[in-house]
Every structure is written in structure tokens, then in C-alpha cells.
């Protein structure tokens, strides 16, 4: 699977954060040799909280239907249940 496009310039902080989150999911699978099948009940919700010259903070709400970790042989090695997860993320220049 090719790497997702990374957006790391500009003032569309929601698009930047979304692209970095998707890239992180992709790179984590490459690092561990496994991959994650993640099904969301709704798209990622990103809401800016604070915008300063060198740092932006956003609230991330993720509505997970299920998340499975799959090893190189195709076996499910971990399974997470449906839930809503909330995070605060910061992006610094």
C-alpha cells in the first residue's frame, strides 16, 4: 500500500492534522510488520482549540466501530471494541 499524501504546509490545520494522523497509521504498520484494519463509524472530527504562531492545538474525536491488528500471516492478533476516543493533539513548527 502506498504512503498517504502528507500535507505539512499552509493554514488548513485540520487538513494538515488529518494527513499526519493517516501517515502515522501507515508508518506504524510498516514499523511493526503488521497492519491495522480500522473501521470508523464516522470521519475523524478535528476541531481547532488554539492557534498561535508556532503551535496549533486541536481536539480529535474518533468514532471507532472496530480496530484489528493483523500480523504478517493475516492473523488477527488484537481486536478493539467499538467506542469513541477523544484526544488533544498539538502541532509545532
Amino acid at each position: 500500500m502506498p504512503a498517504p499524501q502528507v500535507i505539512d504546509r499552509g493554514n488548513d490545520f485540520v487538513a494538515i492534522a488529518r494527513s499526519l494522523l493517516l501517515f502515522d497509521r501507515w508508518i506504524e504498520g510498516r514499523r511493526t510488520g503488521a497492519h491495522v484494519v480500522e473501521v470508523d463509524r464516522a470521519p475523524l472530527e478535528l476541531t481547532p482549540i488554539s492557534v498561535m504562531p508556532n503551535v496549533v492545538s486541536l481536539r480529535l474525536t474518533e468514532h471507532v466501530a472496530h480496530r484489528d491488528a493483523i500480523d504478517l500471516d493475516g492473523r488477527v492478533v488484537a481486536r478493539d471494541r467499538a467506542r469513541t476516543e477523544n484526544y488533544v493533539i498539538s502541532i509545532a513548527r
Side-chain angles (χ1 to χ4, degrees):
M1 173 187 328
Q5 178 186 4
V6 173
I7 301 169
D8 61 358
R9 301 277 189 275
N11 293 323
D12 188 346
F13 303 117
V14 169
I16 291 168
R18 184 179 313 279
S19 77
L20 294 173
L21 288 165
L22 295 175
F23 183 76
D24 179 63
R25 286 181 181 176
W26 179 84
I27 201 74
E28 182 65 15
R30 296 298 179 266
R31 185 185 68 76
T32 62
H35 67 279
V36 173
V37 174
E38 191 162 50
V39 177
D40 296 323
R41 294 184 313 234
L44 297 174
E45 295 175 26
L46 288 155
T47 306
I49 298 170
S50 173
V51 177
M52 300 181 75
N54 291 320
V55 66
V56 175
S57 296
L58 303 102
R59 180 179 14 264
L60 165 64
T61 302
E62 188 174 6
H63 304 282
V64 178
H66 69 84
R67 183 182 297 138
D68 299 336
I70 313 295
D71 71 10
L72 292 174
D73 295 323
R75 293 184 306 248
V76 175
V77 294
R79 176 165 280 155
D80 291 337
R81 68 189 192 298
R83 67 188 175 280
T84 298
E85 298 176 339
N86 294 290
Y87 304 93
V88 173
I89 59 173
S90 297
I91 302 171
R93 292 185 197 254

